[in-house]
Amino acid sequence: MDTKEKYAQYVNTSFVKSVEPVVVERAAGAEVHAADGKTYLDCFAGIAVVNAGHVHPRIAEAAKAQIDQLIHAASYIYYVPTVADLAETLARITPGALQKSFFCNSGAEAIEGALRLAKIATGKREIIALQMAFHGRTYATLSITGNKARKTRGGPYMPGVAFAPAPYCYRCPLKLQPESCGLACADAVEDVIKYQTSDDVAAFIVEPVLGEAGLIPLPDGYLARVQEILKRHGILLLVDEVQTGFGRTGKLFAIEHHPGVEPDMMAMAKGIAAGFPLGAFIAPAALADNFLPGEHLSTFGGNPVSCAAALANIAVLQEEHLVEHAAELGNWALGELKQLQEKHVLIGDVRGQGLMIGIELVKDRTTKQPATAEAARVRAFCREAGVLIGVGGQDGNVLRLQPPLLITQEQLAHAINTISQALTAC
C-alpha cells in the first residue's frame, strides 16, 4: 500500500476538498522534492510557515543539538534555558511594551489564550472581530472567525462576539470608494460597539493582512483610527500575527506597517520556528501578570526543541536579511503582477505586502463575479508545471503567493510566468 492509499484508508482529510497529489519526500530552500523524482518550486511554504526556507541548515542543526540535550521538561513547571532565551528575544524584537510570552503549540491555541487573558485583565467578556477574518479552528477561534464556510456545522458558537465590516477595498462592504470613503470601515467599529455589544468589550482582534480572506492588507490609517476608538472605550487591541509575522510582509511583524500603532497583545505561530510546532502570545507585564496560578497551561508549550529552532530561525531571518529581501522582492513581484493584470482579464485585483501576495480572479471585472473554478484550474496547471501555489479567499478565487523568503527573483519570475501560462490556458 503506497502513501496515497494509506491516506485514503487511515488519514482523515475530509475537511479539505482534495489533497494535492504530491507525495513529499524531502525539501530544501524553496524546493520540494517528490517521491516520484519530480521537483517543485514551493510558492506556498507550507501555508506561510517555512519563512526561512525548508530545512535551513542552521535551524536544523540547532534543533538536532537540542534533541541531544533535552526534548521535554514541562517548561511551566521547571526552568528551561532555551525557553527563557526565546522569551527574552521576543520581548526584544516585538513592538512597543510587549514583554511576557506564553508558549503553546499553534496559532489557534495562542489566540485562545490571548482571548482568555484579555477577559481576565479587563474584567470584560465580549470580543469584536472582523467579517471575513480567520483565526483558527478551535471553538473560541471559530467563534471570532467571520467566515461561514469555516464555521458550517459547528455551531452554536461562543456568545458575546460582534463583527465589524472587513476593510476590503476591492469589494467594499459599505459600497464606497477608497479614495473618498474617509476610512468609514474604521469608524464602523464605533457603531459596532454602540449597536452590537453590551459595552462589555475586552478586545478587538485583527490580522494586519487578512490571510484566509484573500490576502487583504489593511488600508493605511485604518488601525490608527481603530485604536483611537478602542482607547476611548477601554478595549485592548489584539493583533493576530500568526500568518503575517516573522518577515512574511517585508517587516519582522506586519503591525510595523502601521506607524504609531502598538498592540496590547500579539499572537504568533506559523513562521516562528520554521516548521517546528510552536505558538505564542505576548503582552506587557502589567497585562500578562493577571493570570493566577493554575488558570492557564500547555503541556507541550515551550517545547525546548521548537524553542531552539525558533531562536535559530529569528537569527537567520535577521542575519541573512531575509526580511529586507521579502520587502524588495515583494515590491518587484507586485509590479510584475500588475503588468500581468493588464494582459489577463481574469485578474481583477493584485494586492499584498512583502511575500504575502494575492491575485484575485474574476469572471468579469465589472460585476467582479468570483472565478472560483478558474482559480482551481490555475493551481492545478501550476502544480503540473512544477510550481506549488495556494488558493484562498471567501469564494476560493484568490491565488496565494507566499513562498519561503529566501526565494530568488529568478525563481519567483518563473512562478509568475507559469501563472501567466495558466491564465492563458484558462
Side-chain angles (χ1 to χ4, degrees):
M1 188 180 295
D2 67 14
T3 299
K4 292 180 183 177
E5 291 172 328
K6 289 178 182 178
Y7 258 65
Q9 287 273 45
Y10 304 116
V11 180
N12 187 346
T13 61
S14 60
F15 42 83
V16 295
K17 289 183 179 179
S18 63
V19 178
E20 289 284 275
V22 178
V23 179
V24 179
E25 189 171 75
R26 58 188 176 87
E31 292 184 335
V32 166
H33 303 278
D36 61 5
K38 187 171 182 177
T39 296
Y40 296 86
L41 177 61
D42 184 6
C43 289
F44 203 24
I47 317 181
V49 168
V50 288
N51 289 4
H54 290 280
V55 197
H56 192 288
R58 292 174 61 183
I59 300 170
E61 186 58 40
K64 290 173 186 175
Q66 182 62 53
I67 286 173
D68 289 337
Q69 185 173 334
L70 177 69
I71 294 176
H72 175 72
S75 66
Y76 294 109
I77 298 178
Y78 308 106
Y79 294 110
V80 179
T82 310
V83 177
D85 291 343
L86 178 56
E88 180 185 35
T89 298
L90 291 177
R92 173 175 54 82
I93 66 175
T94 51
L98 300 175
Q99 180 181 340
K100 287 193 171 184
S101 292
F102 178 94
F103 293 110
C104 49
N105 307 286
S106 67
E109 191 181 339
I111 291 169
E112 286 256 3
L115 292 176
R116 186 172 187 190
L117 177 58
K119 291 182 178 183
I120 289 171
T122 62
K124 300 177 181 180
R125 296 293 175 262
E126 294 177 294
I127 304 294
I128 296 176
L130 288 180
Q131 295 170 3
M132 301 178 63
F134 176 76
H135 297 291
R137 296 180 187 271
T138 58
Y139 175 68
T141 54
L142 278 175
S143 298
I144 59 171
T145 287
N147 180 337
K148 181 185 73 173
R150 297 287 187 269
K151 301 170 80 159
T152 299
R153 302 201 302 171
Y157 288 99
M158 183 174 74
V161 180
F163 292 93
Y168 186 8
C169 294
Y170 182 64
R171 297 179 185 272
C172 176
L174 304 177
K175 310 302 181 186
L176 302 173
Q177 297 301 317
E179 57 274 8
S180 59
C181 71
L183 289 174
C185 53
D187 292 334
V189 173
E190 186 122 45
D191 291 335
V192 170
I193 296 168
K194 184 176 181 180
Y195 299 116
Q196 296 187 39
T197 77
S198 61
D199 200 22
D200 192 37
V201 181
F204 171 83
I205 183 168
V206 65
E207 305 164 88
V209 180
L210 278 68
E212 301 300 312
L215 308 187
I216 305 166
L218 299 180
D220 291 341
Y222 173 86
L223 267 186
R225 181 83 59 84
V226 168
Q227 189 162 53
E228 291 175 5
I229 296 168
L230 300 181
K231 286 181 177 179
R232 288 202 302 271
H233 291 271
I235 298 170
L236 300 178
L237 174 61
L238 169 53
V239 176
D240 178 351
E241 290 266 8
V242 169
Q243 191 167 166
T244 56
F246 298 94
R248 173 57 53 191
T249 68
K251 299 281 189 181
L252 196 54
F253 297 100
I255 191 67
E256 296 173 43
H257 290 286
H258 302 271
V261 177
E262 292 187 3
D264 297 300
M265 291 188 290
M266 195 163 80
M268 301 165 276
K270 286 191 181 287
I272 190 173
F276 287 84
L278 185 65
F281 64 91
I282 187 170
L287 276 178
D289 290 344
N290 279 277
F291 273 141
L292 297 177
E295 278 191 323
H296 203 56
L297 197 65
S298 174
T299 299
F300 296 106
N303 174 267
V305 180
S306 293
C307 288
L311 281 166
N313 175 57
I314 293 166
V316 166
L317 292 173
Q318 294 181 322
E319 294 169 14
E320 298 186 12
H321 305 290
L322 295 185
V323 181
E324 295 85 350
H325 179 68
E328 294 170 5
L329 195 55
N331 285 335
W332 172 83
L334 283 171
E336 294 294 302
L337 290 167
K338 292 287 187 182
Q339 293 182 34
L340 214 62
Q341 185 177 8
E342 297 176 3
K343 177 182 177 182
H344 296 286
V345 295
L346 269 174
I347 299 179
D349 192 34
V350 173
R351 54 184 179 257
Q353 285 178 333
L355 289 176
M356 190 171 182
I357 298 172
I359 308 163
E360 181 159 354
L361 305 187
V362 294
K363 293 179 181 293
D364 183 279
R365 287 182 178 176
T366 301
T367 65
K368 300 182 182 179
Q369 181 183 353
T372 303
E374 289 82 353
R377 287 162 56 192
V378 168
R379 183 184 192 183
F381 182 103
C382 289
R383 183 189 65 241
E384 292 304 308
V387 176
L388 303 178
I389 64 172
V391 168
Q394 295 293 106
D395 297 289
N397 66 316
V398 180
L399 309 180
R400 297 173 62 172
L401 281 180
Q402 296 170 274
L405 307 187
L406 49 58
I407 193 170
T408 67
Q409 183 171 316
E410 181 181 8
Q411 288 174 317
L412 193 51
H414 171 65
I416 291 171
N417 183 57
T418 302
I419 290 172
S420 181
Q421 294 173 13
L423 290 167
T424 298
C426 282

